[in-house]
């Protein structure tokens, strides 16, 4: 685990927590570049796949490379969901739902699990 993570990042990424909706730094972020894992720096989502889902968390239609994320069944809170983890370090990122735009998936990701690297 990256020793520079904040307590909130550790809670979300390694205790499967979640940040409150509409509070994350990347909810309304419009920069062009790459969203990477805040723990290990693995490339996860391109800004070209980000969209405003209105849910309160950054949302993406696709990961930059499906080999960079791991999907796992999540049965917590009395729900059946699909958890998204960083394949490199195992950090919890959020969940994926089948209700994105134009029949795409919606990767609903916690801002605190991400860092942003702008295009040069």
């Amino acid at each position: 685990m990256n020793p520079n993570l904040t307590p909130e990042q550790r809670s979300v990424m390694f205790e499967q927590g979640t940040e409150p909706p509409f509070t994350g730094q990347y909810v309304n972020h419009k920069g062009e570049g790459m969203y990477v894992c805040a723990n290990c720096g693995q490339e996860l989502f391109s800004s070209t796949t980000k969209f405003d889902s209105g849910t309160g968390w950054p949302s993406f239609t696709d990961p930059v490379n499906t080999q960079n994320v791991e999907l796992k069944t999540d049965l917590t809170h009395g729900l059946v969901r699909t958890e998204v983890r960083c394949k490199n370090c195992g950090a919890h990122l959020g969940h994926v739902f089948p209700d994105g735009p134009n029949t795409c998936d919606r990767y609903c990701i916690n801002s605190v699990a991400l860092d942003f690297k702008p295009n040069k």
Side-chain angles (χ1 to χ4, degrees):
M1 182 184 328
N2 182 334
N4 297 318
L5 294 179
T6 67
E8 183 181 23
Q9 287 176 307
R10 285 192 298 275
S11 172
V12 167
M13 298 175 80
F14 295 100
E15 298 169 15
Q16 285 64 44
T18 191
E19 64 193 7
F22 301 102
T23 62
Q25 67 178 333
Y26 297 124
V27 174
N28 298 312
H29 188 254
K30 305 288 188 212
E32 293 183 10
M34 186 66 60
Y35 293 88
V36 302
C37 177
N39 184 58
C40 71
Q42 175 72 52
E43 290 186 346
L44 299 170
F45 300 96
S46 168
S47 62
T48 61
T49 66
K50 188 173 187 293
F51 69 99
D52 182 4
S53 66
T55 61
W57 291 276
S59 296
F60 304 88
T61 56
D62 294 295
V64 69
N65 183 330
T66 58
Q67 298 301 310
N68 294 0
V69 297
E70 180 179 18
L71 305 180
K72 298 181 90 172
T73 300
D74 177 359
L75 302 175
T76 60
H77 307 292
L79 303 168
V80 178
R81 300 178 293 173
T82 302
E83 178 186 13
V84 182
R85 289 181 173 255
C86 174
K87 183 86 176 233
N88 188 54
C89 70
H92 170 77
L93 305 171
H95 292 87
V96 63
F97 302 96
D99 61 1
N102 302 318
T103 69
C104 290
D105 286 333
R106 173 175 55 94
Y107 286 79
C108 186
I109 307 298
N110 291 283
S111 285
V112 296
L114 301 171
D115 278 334
F116 182 73
K117 305 296 182 195
N119 288 343
K120 296 191 189 295

